[in-house]
Amino acid sequence: NMDAEEWKSQAERLAEKAAESITTGSNMRASKEYRTHLVRVLTKRALLEAGGIEMEIKFTLNGREIQAE
């Protein structure tokens, strides 16, 4: 069972990997950089919300397995 700081650290690492793995684009509503920032922020937020649930942090993005180390 992970403590709160370890969970936060794992969530941050996975959010960074998700931001690196997901291709975003720009249009008149949002830049590529902003969309990538949203991937990072929303992934971390979702994982922290799920923090009370013991789970293995592993996702598949674009057909590739992403796992926090």
Side-chain angles (χ1 to χ4, degrees):
N1 215 2
M2 286 191 248
D3 65 21
E5 283 303 311
E6 186 178 1
W7 183 259
K8 182 179 177 184
S9 176
Q10 291 283 356
E12 287 170 353
R13 278 189 285 230
L14 186 55
E16 189 59 40
K17 286 186 177 196
E20 292 169 1
S21 300
I22 295 175
T23 303
T24 57
S26 296
N27 67 18
M28 65 184 217
R29 291 184 177 87
S31 69
K32 175 182 177 178
E33 293 79 13
Y34 179 71
R35 290 169 191 252
T36 299
H37 171 74
L38 284 180
V39 169
R40 187 178 296 108
V41 169
L42 295 177
T43 300
K44 180 181 173 186
R45 189 179 296 171
L47 289 168
L48 291 176
E49 289 243 350
I53 302 168
E54 188 172 332
M55 61 165 50
E56 181 178 353
I57 301 177
K58 183 168 60 176
F59 285 86
T60 301
L61 297 170
N62 299 329
R64 296 190 340 235
E65 188 175 281
I66 307 294
Q67 187 167 358
E69 299 168 357

